Amino acid sequence: MERHPEGSSAGPAAVPPPPQVLMDLSSLPNSLEDNGFYVTTPDPSDIPKDEMESLKQELEKWKERLEKAEKTKADLQLCKLSADKEYVEIEHELTELRDAQEKLDKESAMSMAVYEAELSVLNQENAELRREIEKLKQDLAECSSVLSQDGKIKKKVAEMKVEFTHLEDTEGNFPDMNTRCVFSVTARIPFKLNQNQALLTLEDEEVAQRLTKMGKHTVNLDRKTADVKVVPFTVGMGVKFELHVTISGKKINVSEIPELSIPEEWMRDKLELNFYKSVHGGGEVENVKYDKKSRTAVITFTRPGATASIVRYTKYPFYVNGRSHRLSVSPSTDVHLEKLQLFSGFSTKTILLKGIKDTEDDEESVQDMIEIHFQKPSNGGGETESIKYVSKGAAWVCFEEDAI
């Protein structure tokens, strides 16, 4: 804004430069008048009208800007309050989430410990089950039989009771094609009787049960008495099955074939020719399976019943290169098991006696004294069938199915 001094007519007067003011900061400040400044209040009448209008408009603009700034400030304050409130709520939720996470971590750790304990128990149970399975497999392997070519049963058992049952019906119109035999086989169950033990079999099951319930018995052994303990008698699992044996009417097994320096094909031809002759039985040959390494062969005839006369010979003559040899001949058999059954090894009539003291008497005398004691009704006993006592070492006792 330009101001013109009174009495001047033309343009603005030159404004002198501001005086140089040196301030002493170590002393007290002086007033404006002391520093050469003079304050004057302008007279509104001295301001031109158009300039005044411009100033008013400028003032109105600044007022509007101030109102807008105040409104913006109020909005920002409201936003800040809302943001602070949301921040507090989020902090609270975050705290709750942290607490929940800590709780979950603790529960997870506890659950993991519980799971690990349960897993350890399950692993132990699985290990026990695996041991039981292995034991059952071994028992099953002992009960199963491996059949050899000669029809014998290879099985580790004490004894086997084999009983011929019947002949099966033949097939087709050839009654002498094959011979099928059925045998009933029952494996006897071995029981290991240890030192100073006895097995007593009674005639009545009730007597055996009564003696077992009584538990202990005082038995007079000549000059001594012994507290004998009666326990139930159990043995291993028994097995029984049907053995089906089919004797071929067309095939024979040949072994002990001599070693000759001729091709295998020639040997097959000579075997075929040898068994084709009817002097010692035989007939037209359908097939020859020869194994040079094992010196064996399987001869198949075309006519059913051709093997009937051949298998009567334990040694069959074989002529080759002007020399006579003897071949071992046996019927070709097919053997398989059917109706394999396991039966319990628990005896209701036999009891096991433990705790028999050593005496100077011989084993047979002690056995008699034990049997006499358990035969007396006054001792809760009854009639006995058999007794087995072992004073030294151990002994194996075998039981059949009908005895347990």
Side-chain angles (χ1 to χ4, degrees):
M1 178 175 61
E2 298 178 354
R3 298 185 62 182
H4 302 277
E6 295 182 358
S8 63
S9 58
V15 180
Q20 296 292 330
V21 179
L22 299 175
M23 299 181 66
D24 186 6
L25 299 178
S26 62
S27 61
L28 295 174
N30 297 324
S31 63
L32 293 175
E33 290 80 359
D34 296 336
N35 291 325
F37 291 94
Y38 297 93
V39 180
T40 59
T41 303
D43 188 1
S45 60
D46 296 337
I47 303 173
K49 188 175 182 179
D50 56 349
E51 187 176 352
M52 182 63 72
E53 290 297 328
S54 175
L55 290 173
K56 288 181 179 180
Q57 291 177 1
E58 187 73 19
L59 181 61
E60 290 297 328
K61 289 181 181 180
W62 281 108
K63 286 182 178 179
E64 290 178 0
R65 291 178 182 178
L66 179 61
E67 289 178 357
K68 289 182 180 179
E70 291 292 337
K71 184 177 180 181
T72 302
K73 179 181 178 182
D75 293 340
L76 290 174
Q77 288 177 345
L78 290 175
C79 291
K80 183 177 182 300
L81 292 174
S82 178
D84 292 340
K85 184 179 179 180
E86 291 181 0
Y87 176 78
V88 173
E89 292 177 353
I90 291 174
E91 282 287 337
H92 181 67
E93 292 179 358
L94 183 60
T95 302
E96 291 181 347
L97 288 174
R98 287 174 179 172
D99 295 340
Q101 183 65 38
E102 290 178 358
K103 184 178 179 180
L104 287 175
D105 291 340
K106 291 180 180 179
E107 292 179 354
S108 177
M110 294 176 62
S111 300
M112 184 62 67
V114 173
Y115 293 153
E116 288 179 354
E118 292 179 353
L119 181 62
S120 177
V121 173
L122 289 175
N123 288 333
Q124 292 178 359
E125 293 179 355
N126 288 336
E128 293 178 359
L129 289 174
R130 282 194 292 267
R131 286 193 292 269
E132 292 181 2
I133 290 173
E134 291 299 325
K135 186 177 183 302
L136 290 175
K137 286 182 178 179
Q138 292 177 1
D139 294 341
L140 183 60
E142 291 178 357
C143 294
S144 301
S145 300
V146 180
L147 303 179
S148 61
Q149 293 182 354
D150 56 1
K152 291 182 180 179
I153 298 178
K154 295 181 179 179
K155 186 178 184 300
K156 293 182 178 180
V157 294
E159 290 182 43
M160 299 191 72
K161 182 180 179 181
V162 182
E163 181 180 356
F164 173 76
T165 303
H166 61 278
L167 287 174
E168 291 184 335
D169 295 334
T170 56
E171 298 178 355
N173 298 322
F174 304 100
D176 55 350
M177 169 74 83
N178 295 322
T179 303
R180 294 180 174 84
C181 306
V182 180
F183 298 87
S184 175
V185 182
T186 303
R188 295 179 178 178
I189 307 175
F191 178 79
K192 186 178 181 181
L193 191 62
N194 295 318
Q195 184 175 341
N196 294 329
Q197 292 183 355
L199 281 177
L200 179 63
T201 302
L202 298 110
E203 294 182 356
D204 193 349
E205 294 181 4
E206 294 182 0
V207 175
Q209 299 300 319
R210 183 169 61 247
L211 292 173
T212 303
K213 290 181 180 180
M214 292 174 65
K216 290 185 179 180
H217 298 262
T218 302
V219 180
N220 292 318
L221 300 177
D222 199 5
R223 300 176 183 178
K224 297 181 181 180
T225 59
D227 292 331
V228 178
K229 184 178 180 181
V230 179
V231 296
F233 170 66
T234 56
V235 294
M237 192 69 68
V239 59
K240 60 181 179 180
F241 53 87
E242 284 187 356
L243 182 64
H244 291 248
V245 181
T246 301
I247 303 174
S248 176
K250 295 178 63 177
K251 292 182 180 181
I252 59 172
N253 295 324
V254 181
S255 59
E256 298 182 14
I257 299 174
E259 295 183 3
L260 302 176
S261 57
I262 59 176
E264 293 185 16
E265 185 177 354
W266 291 9
M267 178 63 76
R268 282 193 292 268
D269 293 340
K270 291 184 179 297
L271 288 171
E272 179 179 352
L273 180 61
N274 190 80
F275 284 97
Y276 180 77
K277 299 176 180 180
S278 59
V279 177
H280 301 285
E284 185 177 353
V285 176
E286 178 180 321
N287 185 30
V288 177
K289 292 183 178 180
Y290 170 64
D291 185 1
K292 183 177 182 180
K293 186 176 181 180
S294 62
R295 297 168 56 198
T296 59
V298 178
I299 311 296
T300 303
F301 297 93
T302 58
R303 180 177 60 85
T307 63
S309 57
I310 296 178
V311 294
R312 296 175 184 175
Y313 295 90
T314 56
K315 297 292 184 179
Y316 193 86
F318 178 48
Y319 300 98
V320 58
N321 295 338
R323 296 184 60 183
S324 176
H325 303 273
R326 294 290 178 176
L327 305 178
S328 293
V329 179
S330 62
S332 177
T333 59
D334 176 63
V335 184
H336 67 278
L337 302 182
E338 291 186 8
K339 299 180 181 180
L340 178 65
Q341 298 178 1
L342 301 177
F343 57 88
S344 175
F346 176 77
S347 176
T348 58
K349 296 170 61 177
T350 303
I351 58 177
L352 178 61
L353 308 178
K354 294 183 176 182
I356 304 172
K357 295 181 179 179
D358 293 331
T359 64
E360 296 179 357
D361 298 324
D362 60 281
E363 190 173 279
E364 186 175 355
S365 300
V366 175
Q367 183 171 287
D368 292 339
M369 286 184 283
I370 295 173
E371 185 174 11
I372 291 172
H373 174 86
F374 286 100
Q375 280 181 339
K376 294 180 180 179
S378 58
N379 295 327
E383 293 297 326
T384 61
E385 289 185 356
S386 62
I387 183 173
K388 176 62 178 177
Y389 166 64
V390 176
S391 61
K392 295 180 180 180
W396 288 94
V397 182
C398 295
F399 291 85
E400 295 182 2
E401 180 187 10
D402 54 359
I404 57 176

